Amino acid sequence: MEWSSESAAVRRHRGTAERREGEAAASHPQKEASAPKDARAGERMRGKTENGSGSRAAKTALSEARTALALALYLLALRALVQLSLQRLVLSRTSGLQGEFDARQARDYLEHITAIGPRTTGSTENEILTVQYLLEQIKLIEAQSNSLHSISVDIQRPTGSFSIDFLGGFTSYYDNITNLVVKLEPRDGAKYAVLANCHFDSVANSPGASDDAVSCAVMLEVLRVMSASPEPLQHAVVFLFNGAEENVLQASHGFITQHPWASLIRAFINLEAAGVGGKELVFQTGPENPWLVQAYVSAAKHPFASVVAQEVFQSGIIPSDTDFRIYRDFGNIPGIDLAFIENGYIYHTKYDTADRILIDSIQRAGDNILAVLKYLATSDMLASSSEYRHGNMVFFDVLGLLVIAYPSRVGSIINYMVVMAVVLYLGRKLLQPKHRNANYVRDFLCGLGITFISWFTSLVTVLIIAVFVSLIGQSLSWYNYFYIAVCLYGTATVAKIIFIHTLAKRFYYMNTSDLYLGELFFDTSLFVHCGSLVALTYQGFCSAFLSAVWVAFPLLTKLCVYKDFKKHGAQGRFIALYFVGMFIPYLYGLYLIWAVFEMFTPILGRSGSEIPPDVVLASILAVCVMILSSYFITFIYLVNSTKKTILSLMLVCVVTFLLVCSGAFFPYSSNPESPKPKRVFLQHVSRTFHDLEGSVVKRDSGIWINGFDYTGMTHVTPHIPEINDTIRAPCEENAPLCGFPWYLPVHFLIRKNWYLPAPEISPRNPAHFRLVSKEKMPWDSIKLTFEATGPSHMSFYVRTHKGSTLSQWSLGNGIPVPSRGGDYFVFYSHGLQASAWQFWIEVQQVSEEQPEGMVTVAIAAHYVSGESKRSSELDALKEKFPDWSFPSAWVSTYSLFVF
């Protein structure tokens, strides 16, 4: 049974066409010589008369308007289902019941933590006030705990160093930071433990409700419920409230490498945020250890998990990282990483407040964490987790109702079985006797070519539009109104795809049956998805299950609707059956597409000045349209015309394009209900440059301005005229990182910055940096020992001169790790009290005679908390910024030395 086998009507029309050709040849003998040259005349007459009138194919052609409306309503209905599933945060309510998680209590914890204010490492708010509050609550929880359990509390103040390849690579050093660790275990003790991790510190100038105070509030409530439970535990549960995650994962490193309880840990759950509220997504598991995924599948009450998110995140295209990496890389421990991903527009801003997190978001997170921790704390697998280590899992949730999970090796078998089904299906057509399949093979190959041409040209079209929009300064016009991107780039992609296929239908397949072409292009789409399935499976991607879904269900649909299609042609019944068969792949496709744009759209508003966000978003939208349109291409060949559809899409695209070019859509919003602010970093800087003799060769002061998106200061200049291109910050070519106090090594992402002259500043706790010793080593290298004192956050930069190399140092594992661009970057932080930071570097020289010195170093001090973070000039400039922006400001100093 094959859908591509010609119906009796098609064969009759083929015969009719052939007889007409014979008659024409007999009545016009003078054309016999040219007839063989035009072989297509006989091959194209598959089901149509010469003028196309009166044939069955013409009668079965679908109405353009009705088909377009049906497709639009179908996709809108699926999108509505996806939206409903996302809005339903809690499947069943248990809040307030005995022994269950109480979101109201967790919200109370959250509000108290955020009321303290921004909590940067080293600040009084973080090191004293938050720690005191947590200790008070833990003491109350301990007093109410069941006698079956024992609670131990420890405050850790670790010091350490490590290197990490995040943001191009750098080294981190921390001193006397804070970890608050609570161990809940059976009264008789436990040999093994599961770890739950959150962080209570925040970035500067943000209350940090979602990142990550709400996770700590959830953990407090989980601790309360588990400690009061009459159910015995088999293993211990360690609750780590870490106080230095925003300092690039320092506190988790201090715990897992130095705390005595770390040796008990066999698995962990990390609670994070990349947005504010909504559903918490499981976006990383492992490495390997499939039993952990099974634990989540078995225990979670409101599942939301995707191996697709895991593979996207671990690919590195998202500029972010979590404590998961530290436990995985430095502790060799498997775990589960969860994060809130909705509304990333206000992540790390002043708008990240407790009132924006819905009570149901807290409830679902608490229910899930409590259930999974209980499951792991009573699991026999935890003790012998090494026996279940090997293997990866394919896992994905179904609209938040349940999670489907199976081993990746089983997934590979399923995938290849699906591939074999397609091989059998297409093989029967392609391997027919030559006289029967010559037309099909050629048309199939041409169809593949036309499909790829339509995709390529549509991608080129939207990229041209995106580049033009970026060049005229209207980038991010869709940031506040996402539908603008759909109307601009989405409609352009659809219109171009339809246009290319319409040209092919009219000029290449001009005398070919519509039904035949509908089947043909279904087969080409099936083949493309099958090729994707083979490639992803061969490369070992667990995400290949997506391609399997997009192959298996359409193939089953094709086989199921064959009889109806053969008997009645492309009528309403066929469309209904076709839509039903495509329900699962398209519903899940839209579900994942929502997650992609929910995460990536806000990120594009903070991805730096070098990446054109319109180009990125247009590319993602084009790819999504290509996928969604793949099995709908067949309708282009089944409808009687596409003219109105193309014109309508072009009209929407052109009108949107003109409005975007005119600046009608402002990228940012200060709407209290849904703010989408522009992020700007302001640093009041005093810079001092020394030469090889130690003399000051340059000193200046100003406010260093960095816009974190592609538009730079274009929209700010009308409000603050003094910030314009005349004060663009020049790069000091001979200084590390251009001679400016970068907080993190993101200089390669942000090359456009401004330097507004301002008076010199004098912080209360000025940074001091000195060379302690310089000694020549037996292996002909020079060891330079330095000492630095200053605020809680400092950055140390190194650039070697020509003829010198940095061979080793006392930081990290002893091997210097260069950042992108070749300079070396060290991020330093300390708690409330810390001794002077003393360290050494070793420089290998090719030649002893280096008149310009062998190395340039610089130290930057960042005053991100307390009174020293402010200056009158900084406050005055902040006040001038419009309300749709979020200027995060602090004071810095930068001192450069040559040795």
Side-chain angles (χ1 to χ4, degrees):
M1 182 176 68
E2 298 173 27
W3 198 23
S4 67
S5 298
E6 294 174 338
S7 65
V10 174
R11 288 196 297 271
R12 285 197 302 271
H13 288 293
R14 180 194 288 274
T16 301
E18 290 171 350
R19 286 196 299 275
R20 291 185 179 181
E21 285 182 339
E23 293 169 1
S27 61
H28 300 282
Q30 68 273 20
K31 297 183 180 179
E32 287 180 355
S34 61
K37 297 179 182 179
D38 193 11
R40 189 175 298 174
E43 295 168 356
R44 296 293 172 216
M45 302 296 289
R46 303 186 192 96
K48 287 190 178 182
T49 61
E50 287 178 343
N51 60 9
S53 62
S55 69
R56 179 182 176 88
K59 291 178 181 177
T60 57
L62 296 170
S63 164
E64 177 188 9
R66 291 180 180 178
T67 304
L69 181 61
L71 287 170
L73 291 176
Y74 179 68
L75 292 175
L76 288 174
L78 294 179
R79 178 67 184 88
L81 285 176
V82 170
Q83 190 63 35
L84 285 174
S85 73
L86 295 170
Q87 289 178 346
R88 189 180 183 186
L89 298 176
V90 178
L91 300 180
S92 58
R93 298 183 182 277
T94 58
S95 181
L97 298 179
Q98 185 69 28
E100 297 291 345
F101 184 91
D102 188 349
R104 294 168 297 179
Q105 180 62 60
R107 177 174 281 285
D108 184 63
Y109 295 142
L110 171 62
E111 289 173 349
H112 277 85
I113 295 172
T114 54
I116 294 171
R119 304 169 300 283
T120 55
T121 299
S123 67
T124 301
E125 292 81 0
N126 192 69
E127 309 298 324
I128 296 178
L129 300 180
T130 306
V131 172
Q132 283 180 348
Y133 175 75
L134 292 173
L135 284 172
E136 290 170 3
Q137 300 310 308
I138 292 166
K139 189 171 292 186
L140 291 174
I141 290 170
E142 185 178 9
Q144 301 169 6
S145 64
N146 192 292
S147 59
L148 287 172
H149 312 299
S150 171
I151 294 180
S152 305
V153 182
D154 182 54
I155 297 179
Q156 182 197 22
R157 310 279 188 186
T159 297
S161 181
F162 62 96
S163 296
I164 191 170
D165 60 3
F166 179 53
L167 293 176
F170 65 97
T171 300
S172 183
Y173 185 94
Y174 54 90
D175 187 9
N176 203 40
I177 58 176
T178 302
N179 278 324
L180 176 54
V181 196
V182 183
K183 182 169 66 170
L184 176 68
E185 61 183 335
R187 181 62 63 181
D188 297 332
K191 290 185 177 180
Y192 308 105
V194 58
L195 171 70
N197 177 79
C198 73
H199 67 90
F200 56 83
D201 67 314
S202 72
V203 296
N205 306 309
S206 173
S210 68
D211 189 24
D212 191 34
V214 67
S215 296
C216 292
V218 166
M219 277 176 44
L220 275 175
E221 176 59 8
V222 168
L223 172 63
R224 184 192 68 80
V225 174
M226 292 188 71
S227 64
S229 172
E231 301 174 18
L233 298 175
Q234 185 177 344
H235 310 293
V237 181
V238 174
F239 296 84
L240 172 59
F241 302 87
N242 89 57
E245 190 273 349
E246 297 296 355
N247 285 12
V248 200
L249 322 178
Q250 291 178 338
S252 56
H253 182 269
F255 171 80
I256 206 63
T257 59
Q258 300 175 42
H259 199 281
W261 293 347
S263 60
L264 306 176
I265 308 298
R266 292 295 179 270
F268 69 89
I269 297 177
N270 183 50
L271 286 72
E272 256 297 349
V276 179
K279 294 185 175 184
E280 79 291 348
L281 171 69
V282 173
F283 66 99
Q284 285 191 102
T285 64
E288 298 192 278
N289 288 274
W291 64 277
L292 269 176
V293 177
Q294 291 290 2
Y296 180 83
V297 171
S298 302
K301 294 184 177 181
H302 320 288
F304 188 44
S306 174
V307 72
V308 178
Q310 172 173 295
E311 293 183 339
V312 168
F313 188 83
Q314 293 180 352
S315 70
I317 64 174
I318 298 177
S320 184
D321 221 328
T322 72
D323 287 323
F324 181 98
R325 169 195 279 253
I326 299 297
Y327 299 130
R328 178 194 67 195
D329 295 351
F330 293 93
N332 196 28
I333 299 170
I336 300 173
D337 211 0
L338 304 98
F340 295 104
I341 64 169
E342 288 189 22
N343 199 11
Y345 299 98
I346 58 177
Y347 167 76
H348 279 189
T349 72
K350 65 181 180 181
Y351 299 106
D352 184 10
T353 53
D355 60 293
R356 295 186 185 277
I357 302 176
L358 297 177
I359 193 77
D360 280 353
S361 290
I362 301 173
Q363 185 66 51
R364 60 167 288 116
D367 286 344
N368 287 339
I369 301 305
L370 175 61
V372 176
L373 284 178
K374 277 185 176 181
Y375 185 95
L376 292 174
T378 56
S379 170
D380 293 330
M381 287 187 175
L382 190 73
S384 53
S385 58
S386 59
E387 297 178 14
Y388 307 97
R389 176 179 180 180
H390 297 293
N392 291 311
M393 292 288 285
V394 177
F395 60 92
F396 54 94
D397 72 286
V398 180
L399 300 181
L401 300 175
L402 58 98
V403 174
I404 296 174
Y406 49 87
S408 59
R409 62 181 182 276
V410 174
S412 296
I413 294 171
I414 294 172
N415 294 347
Y416 285 125
M417 287 176 64
V418 172
V419 171
M420 286 306 300
V422 175
V423 169
L424 290 173
Y425 165 75
L426 291 178
R428 291 187 63 186
K429 297 183 175 185
L430 296 171
L431 299 178
Q432 287 180 5
K434 190 173 182 180
H435 68 277
R436 296 184 59 190
N437 79 335
N439 295 332
Y440 177 80
V441 173
R442 186 187 62 192
D443 290 342
F444 179 81
L445 294 176
C446 290
L448 280 176
I450 292 166
T451 299
F452 287 126
I453 289 171
S454 70
W455 288 351
F456 176 75
T457 54
S458 63
L459 180 59
V460 170
T461 300
V462 297
L463 289 180
I464 290 172
I465 297 172
V467 169
F468 182 81
V469 167
S470 301
L471 290 175
I472 65 171
Q474 297 299 333
S475 187
L476 288 171
S477 57
W478 37 263
Y479 192 66
N480 190 30
Y481 311 97
F482 182 73
Y483 67 86
I484 298 302
V486 176
C487 292
L488 182 59
Y489 302 122
T491 56
T493 306
V494 176
K496 195 57 177 279
I497 290 174
I498 296 175
F499 178 69
I500 296 297
H501 282 281
T502 301
L503 289 180
K505 177 183 177 182
R506 183 171 181 180
F507 296 108
Y508 185 79
Y509 297 111
M510 50 191 170
N511 291 320
T512 308
S513 165
D514 293 347
L515 302 185
Y516 172 81
L517 292 177
E519 298 176 28
L520 180 72
F521 279 91
F522 178 93
D523 292 348
T524 59
S525 296
L526 188 71
F527 180 81
V528 171
H529 283 288
C530 187
S532 171
L533 174 59
V534 171
L536 291 173
T537 305
Y538 179 77
Q539 292 294 326
F541 287 105
C542 293
S543 301
F545 82 90
L546 273 176
S547 293
V549 169
W550 277 75
V551 172
F553 284 95
L555 180 58
L556 287 173
T557 301
K558 173 79 175 286
L559 298 176
C560 290
V561 303
Y562 166 73
K563 288 184 178 181
D564 186 81
F565 186 80
K566 179 181 178 181
K567 184 176 181 180
H568 303 290
Q571 299 295 333
R573 178 182 170 86
F574 161 74
I575 296 178
L577 292 173
Y578 193 81
F579 282 176
V580 170
M582 296 293 178
F583 178 80
I584 291 177
Y586 274 84
L587 181 65
Y588 195 72
L590 287 170
Y591 188 59
L592 282 183
I593 287 171
W594 166 85
V596 167
F597 288 112
E598 186 69 29
M599 180 168 288
F600 276 97
T601 305
I603 286 176
L604 291 173
R606 57 177 189 269
S607 57
S609 64
E610 302 306 297
I611 302 173
D614 277 67
V615 171
V616 176
L617 189 75
S619 301
I620 296 173
L621 257 175
V623 170
C624 291
V625 169
M626 292 172 196
I627 294 171
L628 292 176
S629 68
S630 55
Y631 288 113
F632 290 157
I633 288 175
T634 186
F635 288 103
I636 299 174
Y637 294 90
L638 294 176
V639 295
N640 52 16
S641 172
T642 58
K643 183 178 179 180
K644 293 179 181 177
T645 303
I646 294 174
L647 289 175
S648 299
L649 291 168
M650 288 181 63
L651 178 63
V652 172
C653 180
V654 169
V655 170
T656 306
F657 177 74
L658 294 175
L659 289 173
V660 167
C661 292
S662 68
F665 305 110
F666 191 68
Y668 314 106
S669 170
S670 59
N671 180 0
E673 299 299 319
S674 181
K676 293 174 182 174
K678 176 182 177 63
R679 299 163 189 259
V680 181
F681 279 8
L682 308 176
Q683 290 172 250
H684 193 166
V685 184
S686 285
R687 302 191 301 170
T688 307
F689 297 81
H690 302 81
D691 61 14
L692 187 58
E693 285 72 37
S695 302
V696 175
V697 294
K698 181 180 179 180
R699 177 179 281 126
D700 64 24
S701 184
I703 297 177
W704 187 43
I705 303 164
N706 282 287
F708 261 55
D709 64 38
Y710 192 75
T711 65
M713 292 293 111
T714 304
H715 299 291
V716 174
T717 300
H719 298 267
I720 313 176
E722 56 265 39
I723 302 178
N724 54 61
D725 284 344
T726 63
I727 61 164
R728 285 283 294 272
C731 178
E732 299 286 345
E733 298 294 341
N734 296 323
L737 278 72
C738 285
F740 284 100
W742 290 98
Y743 184 80
L744 286 172
V746 293
H747 52 287
F748 62 94
L749 290 174
I750 308 170
R751 299 188 187 276
K752 298 175 186 175
N753 33 64
W754 291 257
Y755 195 48
L756 182 65
E760 188 172 349
I761 48 169
S762 301
R764 291 183 181 179
N765 178 27
H768 295 285
F769 181 80
R770 69 185 183 94
L771 176 67
V772 176
S773 65
K774 179 180 179 179
E775 45 186 319
K776 188 170 183 178
M777 308 305 289
W779 41 89
D780 294 330
S781 64
I782 304 297
K783 181 179 180 181
L784 302 173
T785 302
F786 301 108
E787 184 179 272
T789 59
S792 60
H793 292 72
M794 294 190 289
S795 304
F796 177 68
Y797 321 116
V798 182
R799 173 178 291 181
T800 55
H801 296 180
K802 186 177 181 180
S804 301
T805 57
L806 197 60
S807 58
Q808 56 181 326
W809 58 10
S810 59
L811 306 168
N813 61 1
I815 301 174
V817 175
S819 295
R820 188 172 299 189
D823 293 335
Y824 296 84
F825 188 104
V826 181
F827 182 88
Y828 167 89
S829 75
H830 68 69
L832 274 184
Q833 297 178 348
S835 56
W837 178 29
Q838 194 167 105
F839 61 96
W840 55 263
I841 64 174
E842 204 167 288
V843 183
Q844 194 79 39
Q845 292 179 281
V846 175
S847 171
E848 292 188 8
E849 294 183 5
Q850 290 183 289
E852 296 181 356
M854 56 185 173
V855 66
T856 297
V857 302
I859 188 86
H862 303 280
Y863 299 84
V864 294
S865 63
E867 286 301 315
S868 292
K869 70 174 285 188
R870 302 177 61 181
S871 72
S872 57
E873 293 79 14
L874 202 55
D875 290 343
L877 184 62
K878 276 180 62 180
E879 289 298 319
K880 294 181 181 180
F881 272 82
D883 55 3
W884 43 259
S885 64
F886 171 62
S888 182
W890 66 92
V891 166
S892 300
T893 61
Y894 179 96
S895 299
L896 179 143
F897 305 87
V898 181
F899 299 99

